[in-house]
Amino acid sequence: MHGMTVRSAALAAALLSLPMTGVAETPHWIWGAEERSAGQRFTFVRPVELAGRPASATLDVACDFATCRLRLNGETLAKLDEYGPWLTLDVTDRLRPGRNLLDAECTAGEGPAALALSLRIELADGTAIEVVTDESWNAKATGEEGQRAGPKEAVILGKAAPELWTSASSARISAFDDYEQWRQASGDAKGPDPATFLTQPGFEVDLVREATPDEGSWVSVAFDPKGRLTIAREDQGLLRMTLTEDSGQVVQVETIDETLKEVRGLLYAHDALYANANNSLGLYRLRDADGDDRFEEVSLLRQFPGGVGHGRNDLALGPDGSIYSIHGDSVDLPTENVIDRTSPLREARRGGRTTEGYLVRTDKDGQRWEILASGLRNPFGVDFNADGEAFTYDADAEHDMGTPWYRPTRIDHLVSGADFGWRGRTGEWPPYFPDGAENALPAVDVGEGSPTALKSGAKGSFPPRYQRAMFALDWAYGRILACHLSPRGAGYACRVEQFLKGKPLNVTDLDFGPDGSLYLVTGGRKTQSALYRVRYVGEAEAEPPTTLQQTAREAFGRKRRELRRRLEAYHRPHADAVAAVWPQLGSPDPALRQAARVALEHQPVDEWRERALAERDPETAATALLALTRSGEASSLGQALSRANELDTSALSTYGKLTLVRAYRSLLTTPAEADEAVVAASHERLTEWLAIASSDGLAPLGAGGDVTQELARLASDRKLSGIVRPLMTQLREAESQRERMHSLFVLRSLLGEGTTDDRRLYFEALRALERTAYAGDGMPAFLRQLRKDAVAGLTEDQKRELGESIEPEPVDAATTLAVDRPLVRRWTLAEAIESVEESPHSGDAARGAEIFREANCAACHRLQGRGGVIGPDLSSAAGRFSRRDLLASIVEPSQVIAERYRGVRVVTTDGRVVSGRLATEGDYRRSILRIVEDPMRPADVTEISKNEVDLFEESPVSTMPTGLLDTFSAEEIADLLSAITASRGD
């Protein structure tokens, strides 16, 4: 069961006490030798025996400071860079009954190399199997020495921290989560009962105080030096609340300001109260001039013009004593009386008008101002962890949800010079991809949400694992997330768990009190506000002993952060900068690489142009060439293009490849003095690269961070010849909605160069996406534009050849996918197996493919790239299962239902029971569930308000109808099976 509406606090605690990913045991970190050094190569192997068919299989893998190629049964699952993301992969379609072989071929980089992996499998009969990295894994050194020594047990470096392993999926939003839950707080006389909240085990939530009608809605909170709470009203003014000795109640409420409008940021520092007053358009300082405990002096330190939607947000005190203020993209970037530490090659630094959020800092008197980081959307909160590093929780572009250019909410590590790529162009067509190699990477992509405040757990008295976490608020979905940080070189890895959730719980701000408890306020949009306290009441937890890997990782991280800060010191013109930063331009650590490139771009290009063109190391050269192309000097770009053509792409990391593709994009789209032959050679090289990139198995680095997709977009934009074939292959092999839509996007203007079959497949895939897309409000317009662009590129003859398939599919309640075929026989499984095995007719694959289409199997399933996406891809299923297994899935579809294809059973508050498949049209912000009860009538949708859902669970009944073979003869069944198995090469 995925989830259920909470009916009691006991049930809430019981649900949250379960590991969210279902993993009962965390893996060990392993390596092939106790002494680790760069260049070591080991292959780690583990057989996996399955007694039956897998219903679900999820693999989590983390590779620390090593490149690893991960394989299952000889097929590459992913190739991870030294600083690539920790991955969660669905491998259900890759496993087969009997013996499977899992292996990872890894090469150590700088730092403490290690591998950790867990594989959770559920078989059709409900048996759970778990495989984790431990002493059962063999490690074999690569090379002659390894051949002589043979395999040995892997070296154990200690268990991975549970919070960094089992929390990844607990922050996911499902269709049952209500984006509109905050509306339930409108007009309420009091805040919701905390007994209805979901909390992690050991924590208790108390309602401290509800806002009275005359106190307005609350948007921010901070403790003053005397342990009193300051709360900002959404309209205007500040309240001060004095707590009882046990901090359980408020005994006094005072108004301490009546003028400042919508203060989103409050900070007590330097004997003053700093206030980011959004609707007063500035940062203010309040001081008690005469010692009477009142703020007589209210002074404006700086005005920040602009809008007030994504406005002047939170404040934090930095370890350097500076005041840090974070702003959303409605606030104008300051250009006067400010030092900008971001790259001078950014659009905004070169006179362009951009819309982007940013982090600015100032001294206690507001005299010196610096922009530290930019390219954010609406980062509401900011705070520093125990290492003195700043973080924020940035908003998504919900309009673009479901598209390949959608950027989810994310935790960002705010380092000097960082540009996170946002430019406020959501909803435009052609779409804007906000992530690229010139932009800083997020610490983690979270998913859907509506971020407000963020606070470091180092200021509280929670168990040690939470003191290392950053607590982030999601206002729309009513929850607190805990981002568990782990040092990773000069940056951090983060795993996110849901720490607390309520309905409604429109959380706006939080702070840790003198007692170490977490205090949070609700409010916003004139909703009812309340003050809550979150306490840890469980058994005391001692800091667990540090493992070998943890100790080594933290020591390495401290050194790398110190190096990054030395590089950041050159984020200004400096005579020694080029020599100092050059060695890190090719660093495998993205944080060091970014810091070095930004420093280089701060220096006059004359000081490093020739060095960039002469650099021989591929990684360093790629970064230097990207910096050179960003300089825009036409006299250098022709030489830079020639040099880019010489780089060995096979020697580049994923990050290096992305950097080079981005450099090519700039070089080929900027007027340059490049020889036509050099441009032609570049086009030929990119075409060849695209043809082989999809076989690389490279793991993406985040939204927009996929090498194949970056190449595909560039090749499509340049309309290179010969690219339709590899792009069509990508469309056929696409497994996710993001991949399918990306393929449709890059192919939309190239269809005239393909075959008739290519064009038919394109419009089939587009129709399937129109029926099933999980989407934001922008999706219908995006899909219409895809179709419009695709049709515009066709000749009149091609249009006539395709006929009605180029038109949108009519959708109404009467639309049905069922095919009227006469009854042949009501097949039992035993009879179907016997008829196929004993029939002299071995099957005709070509006729079977026709039957697959005639019987409308293609409405839900794909075969060799064609068909729907509601059910499993039968091309991949054929490679794992026998004909008996395939027949069993068709005749008895409810016996084994793969997890990702399970339907839901919903019970409403008035007792109705609705079962079926969740329709994914519309995004999760909608307050209505849409359920398709009959898969043969996809347009016949039952709508249920999320407020009416009493409980929900996975349905034990497959959405695939029974009796599908009853209209087939024995020969037709054999033909159909032949068509399916032919897709695997049988």
Side-chain angles (χ1 to χ4, degrees), residues 886-906:
L886 293 172
L887 279 171
S889 295
I890 300 172
V891 178
E892 299 176 348
S894 296
Q895 291 300 310
V896 181
I897 310 174
E899 185 174 17
R900 74 173 95 168
Y901 302 114
R902 292 172 186 169
V904 295
R905 176 177 174 271
V906 178

Side-chain angles (χ1 to χ4, degrees), residues 538-568:
E539 295 182 5
E541 294 185 14
E543 180 73 66
T546 56
T547 64
L548 291 173
Q549 183 61 14
Q550 181 183 351
T551 300
R553 186 195 300 116
E554 291 182 355
F556 186 70
R558 284 192 294 272
K559 292 179 181 178
R560 290 297 159 131
R561 289 194 299 274
E562 290 171 2
L563 174 57
R564 192 201 74 229
R565 290 165 184 163
R566 290 198 297 272
L567 296 173
E568 291 169 353

Side-chain angles (χ1 to χ4, degrees), residues 40-339:
Q40 289 176 329
R41 297 178 64 190
F42 294 97
T43 298
F44 304 94
V45 181
R46 173 69 151 77
V48 180
E49 295 284 348
L50 299 183
R53 296 167 55 194
S56 65
T58 302
L59 187 147
D60 287 281
V61 59
C63 190
D64 261 6
F65 313 109
T67 59
C68 288
R69 184 179 290 273
L70 185 64
R71 291 181 292 249
L72 179 59
N73 296 326
E75 295 184 8
T76 297
L77 295 176
K79 182 181 176 184
L80 291 84
D81 278 351
E82 292 180 46
Y83 289 82
W86 293 348
L87 294 182
T88 297
L89 305 172
D90 185 334
V91 296
T92 310
D93 292 342
R94 305 293 188 102
L95 289 167
R96 58 197 179 208
R99 183 178 176 83
N100 295 266
L101 191 65
L102 189 60
D103 72 274
E105 183 181 347
C106 301
T107 302
E110 295 183 46
L115 173 72
L117 177 150
S118 68
L119 173 60
R120 170 76 176 180
I121 305 167
E122 181 185 341
L123 298 183
D125 62 3
T127 302
I129 299 172
E130 194 163 24
V131 177
V132 297
T133 43
D134 55 18
E135 61 278 353
S136 68
W137 285 67
N138 283 332
K140 184 177 181 180
T142 303
E144 293 184 8
E145 183 178 343
Q147 294 292 339
R148 290 195 301 270
K152 60 179 181 179
E153 283 188 6
V155 174
I156 304 299
L157 302 168
K159 277 196 172 186
E163 67 270 17
L164 297 175
W165 205 259
T166 60
S167 59
S169 68
S170 72
R172 295 174 187 159
I173 292 296
S174 82
F176 290 91
D177 288 298
D178 191 357
Y179 185 89
E180 301 290 322
Q181 59 85 31
W182 63 271
R183 295 187 184 277
Q184 297 179 36
S186 299
D188 283 357
K190 61 180 182 178
D193 183 356
T196 65
F197 296 168
L198 294 167
T199 60
Q200 287 292 335
F203 290 90
E204 188 173 280
V205 185
D206 307 310
L207 174 61
V208 179
R209 191 179 187 279
E210 296 152 349
T212 59
D214 62 334
E215 290 173 348
S217 195
W218 302 340
V219 294
S220 61
V221 62
F223 279 92
D224 71 10
K226 296 182 179 180
R228 299 171 298 187
L229 279 162
T230 300
I231 292 178
R233 296 172 46 146
E234 184 177 33
D235 47 11
Q236 66 184 63
L238 302 176
L239 305 174
R240 181 162 65 199
M241 297 186 182
T242 303
L243 300 174
T244 55
E245 189 173 341
D246 65 359
S247 301
Q249 296 181 21
V250 173
V251 294
Q252 185 179 12
V253 180
E254 308 166 76
T255 297
I256 57 175
D257 176 83
E258 299 184 62
T259 61
L260 297 179
K261 299 178 181 179
E262 197 198 7
V263 176
R264 293 184 177 180
L266 290 166
L267 173 67
Y268 281 93
H270 306 300
D271 298 320
L273 170 60
Y274 294 84
N276 237 1
N278 183 45
N279 277 291
S280 296
L281 306 183
L283 174 63
Y284 291 78
R285 181 174 63 184
L286 291 73
R287 292 200 289 197
D288 178 6
D290 57 11
D292 65 351
D293 211 19
R294 313 295 296 178
F295 292 117
E296 295 87 8
E297 182 183 311
V298 179
S299 55
L300 174 65
L301 297 186
R302 180 161 185 150
Q303 189 130 31
F304 288 94
V308 295
H310 297 175
R312 299 136 205 88
N313 295 326
D314 210 356
L315 299 171
L317 180 66
D320 57 354
S322 297
I323 310 301
Y324 288 72
S325 177
I326 199 158
H327 299 165
D329 62 10
S330 297
V331 184
D332 297 343
L333 273 164
T335 56
E336 297 180 0
N337 186 29
V338 66
I339 299 167

Side-chain angles (χ1 to χ4, degrees), residues 304 323-329 331-334 338-344 346 348-349 354-362 369-379 381-384 389-394 407 411-423 438-442 564 568 571 594-595 598 602:
F304 288 94
I323 310 301
Y324 288 72
S325 177
I326 199 158
H327 299 165
D329 62 10
V331 184
D332 297 343
L333 273 164
V338 66
I339 299 167
D340 197 333
R341 300 183 68 84
T342 65
S343 171
R346 286 169 18 88
R349 300 287 305 277
T354 63
T355 303
E356 53 185 303
Y358 58 94
L359 176 69
V360 65
R361 73 179 172 193
T362 186
W369 295 87
E370 293 180 285
I371 298 174
L372 273 84
S374 194
L376 299 158
R377 185 170 188 257
N378 188 26
V382 61
D383 202 10
F384 293 82
E389 301 284 328
F391 292 85
T392 191
Y393 181 28
D394 197 11
R407 184 164 82 166
I411 303 291
D412 288 327
H413 181 194
L414 299 171
V415 295
S416 173
D419 178 357
F420 292 94
W422 179 257
R423 297 295 186 270
E438 71 272 33
N439 302 129
L441 295 172
R564 192 201 74 229
E568 291 169 353
H571 288 176
Q594 286 279 335
V598 172
H602 271 274

Side-chain angles (χ1 to χ4, degrees), residues 11 122 202 235 277 309 453 526 565 646 660 721 762 833 852 971:
L11 178 57
E122 181 185 341
D235 47 11
K526 300 181 180 180
R565 290 165 184 163
E646 297 170 358
L660 183 59
S721 61
Y762 183 94
I833 291 173
F852 186 81
E971 286 191 356

Side-chain angles (χ1 to χ4, degrees), residues 171 173 377 392-398 401 406-412 442 444-451 473-474 477 479 481 496:
I173 292 296
R377 185 170 188 257
T392 191
Y393 181 28
D394 197 11
D396 62 349
E398 61 271 13
M401 195 179 297
Y406 168 68
R407 184 164 82 166
T409 68
R410 62 212 319 208
I411 303 291
D412 288 327
V444 67
D445 281 338
V446 176
E448 298 85 355
S450 182
L473 302 188
D474 180 351
Y477 289 110
R479 58 191 187 148
L481 305 174
V496 181

